[in-house]
Amino acid sequence: MKGIELLKEHPKAAIVIKQWFLEKMLEGLNDESLPDDFKVYVREQGIDDDKVGVFIDASPRGLFDIFDEHKILISIIAHQNDSFSVKINGVEDLYEKFSTRKLADHFAIEHAFKMLNEKL
């Protein structure tokens, strides 16, 4: 599932994730030469789903920290046969094996979105 679809399908999780992205972006702007009112303006404007969706698609592993903060712990397991599987909170999904780590990451993120949305 695409990042934009995850955001739309899980609106409670989307709010948390978009806020997290915005704070990370503002940390990157942590420059004393930038006026505080500009930072307030950026925070008020927020970040749109399209931009967050692109990031999710390109780098799903980048979200692991936010899920960690919400006690949704993701582990990607590499197997000797060059496949990957996923554990979330210590439970391995034995029905899915993935040929690349990125595919496993996407699978994990889809499940973590649902779990986070249900927690909120």
Side-chain angles (χ1 to χ4, degrees):
M1 182 178 294
K2 293 280 192 186
I4 189 77
E5 294 166 345
L6 288 171
L7 293 168
K8 289 180 180 178
E9 188 170 311
H10 307 288
K12 293 177 192 173
I15 291 168
V16 171
I17 288 168
K18 286 172 30 178
Q19 185 61 37
W20 183 81
F21 269 104
L22 183 61
E23 292 305 319
K24 292 296 178 191
M25 185 177 74
L26 289 172
E27 282 177 20
L29 296 175
N30 198 6
D31 183 343
E32 292 181 22
S33 68
L34 292 174
D36 286 338
D37 58 340
F38 174 73
K39 294 175 187 176
V40 169
Y41 172 77
V42 170
R43 187 172 275 114
E44 288 172 354
Q45 293 302 306
I47 187 167
D48 64 12
D49 288 359
D50 291 339
K51 288 184 178 75
V52 176
V54 167
F55 181 82
I56 292 168
D57 292 340
S59 183
R61 201 172 318 146
L63 291 176
F64 284 18
D65 287 344
I66 190 167
F67 292 121
D68 285 354
E69 290 173 16
H70 290 274
K71 307 293 187 247
I72 300 169
L73 306 174
I74 298 170
S75 300
I76 305 298
I77 298 96
H79 300 281
Q80 290 182 353
N81 64 355
D82 295 329
S83 68
F84 298 85
S85 61
V86 175
K87 276 188 182 183
I88 299 178
N89 294 339
V91 178
E92 187 169 4
D93 187 344
L94 299 173
Y95 301 105
E96 294 282 338
K97 297 286 187 216
F98 302 92
S99 59
T100 68
R101 180 177 176 127
K102 192 167 184 176
L103 288 172
D105 291 346
H106 277 286
F107 177 83
I109 292 300
E110 284 185 35
H111 286 278
F113 256 89
K114 181 180 179 186
M115 293 170 74
L116 179 57
N117 204 67
E118 290 171 355
K119 275 186 153 189
L120 299 173

